[in-house]
Amino acid sequence: KGVVTASHWVISGVALTLIAAFVLTPFGADPSGRYFVPLWVILALLAGEIVVASIPSVSVRVGAIGVVILFNLVGTVDCARRYPPGLTTQFDAVASIDHRAMPRLIQFLKENGEVRGYSNYWVAYPLAFLSEEEIIFSPRLPYHNDLRYTPRDDRYPPFTEQVANSERVAYITTKNPPLDQYLATQFRRASIEWREIWIGEYHIFYHLSQSIHPTDIGLGEQHP
């Protein structure tokens, strides 16, 4: 007891490395809860050591741990039932999207031949995965209401290349009225006609009279 071992340094190193990564890299500017998963392991080990060191009775230890587990289980179930947002990694409400309408979105896009286009990070990759890459949308649109964007959102350039080479593109936004207004304004300036539809929280701009890409209208690589 009270002796710092190599295992303590390893555990502390994981926590310090994670903290340093948030402070010294751009990922700390717009994080989501998934980045904090390593801390759960560290906190669990720390809690276990505290219990063993402070409670001599094994039965009381088991009871104390059981109470903690039960409390977290009840809280997790209660959170999951309150949908939306349910269980989410998001800290920013605009990035917490209700994806229950995704099957209807996929069906609509297939029926209308809108299998290439642009959306944000939180829509593009789930859409590609759930459609088995039949529908490819590049994450070149911002999801924050201030329209700030980072090219780091484009994690798989081959998807963007497919969309860039497509003669027909659609746009999908979520919870972003400023972006909706911006797109409509830019389409009008380019004399482009289009249709719009809402499917759940997905706002689809489709049947564009001509193909236009985010870089043509000041989006994608910009940093407002």
Side-chain angles (χ1 to χ4, degrees):
K1 293 182 179 180
V3 178
V4 178
T5 65
S7 61
H8 289 97
W9 286 112
V10 171
I11 293 172
S12 300
V14 173
L16 292 174
T17 300
L18 183 64
I19 294 171
F22 271 87
V23 173
L24 302 175
T25 71
F27 287 98
D30 188 21
S32 61
R34 58 192 173 152
Y35 295 134
F36 294 95
V37 170
L39 288 179
W40 284 95
V41 178
I42 298 169
L43 293 173
L45 293 172
L46 177 62
E49 184 165 340
I50 291 174
V51 168
V52 171
S54 58
I55 303 177
S57 172
V58 175
S59 58
V60 176
R61 291 176 189 170
V62 173
I65 294 173
V67 169
V68 173
I69 293 175
L70 180 61
F71 175 81
N72 282 275
L73 176 61
V74 172
T76 301
V77 172
D78 180 62
C79 181
R81 292 178 61 185
R82 301 187 185 198
Y83 198 92
L87 294 177
T88 177
T89 64
Q90 301 301 334
F91 297 138
D92 191 337
V94 300
S96 182
I97 303 166
D98 184 349
H99 284 301
R100 290 178 294 181
M102 180 68 78
R104 289 192 288 128
L105 173 64
I106 291 174
Q107 180 180 0
F108 174 84
L109 294 174
K110 288 182 178 179
E111 290 176 350
N112 286 273
E114 303 288 2
V115 295
R116 297 290 183 271
Y118 296 95
S119 189
N120 60 59
Y121 176 87
W122 304 108
V123 173
Y125 292 121
L127 185 58
F129 177 77
L130 293 173
S131 69
E132 298 182 347
E133 298 188 12
E134 183 176 349
I135 300 174
I136 300 298
F137 273 64
S138 172
R140 285 283 171 170
L141 297 185
Y143 54 87
H144 291 291
N145 290 156
D146 59 7
L147 303 189
R148 70 181 185 274
Y149 174 82
T150 170
R152 293 194 309 273
D153 285 352
D154 189 356
R155 304 292 177 86
Y156 193 62
F159 280 175
T160 296
E161 184 177 354
Q162 288 186 46
V163 176
N165 292 330
S166 176
E167 296 181 356
R168 181 174 179 177
V169 296
Y171 283 72
I172 302 174
T173 66
T174 53
K175 295 184 176 182
N176 204 330
L179 178 58
D180 294 341
Q181 183 177 0
Y182 183 88
L183 289 175
T185 299
Q186 295 300 319
F187 291 165
R188 292 191 189 98
R189 287 179 178 176
S191 300
I192 294 175
E193 297 179 356
W194 74 94
R195 296 181 184 177
E196 296 179 40
I197 189 173
W198 284 90
I199 298 178
E201 293 183 344
Y202 307 110
H203 187 186
I204 305 100
F205 296 79
Y206 69 109
H207 281 185
L208 274 65
S209 58
Q210 69 182 64
S211 180
I212 190 169
H213 304 280
T215 51
D216 299 327
I217 53 178
L219 295 173
E221 293 288 354
Q222 304 298 314
H223 300 265

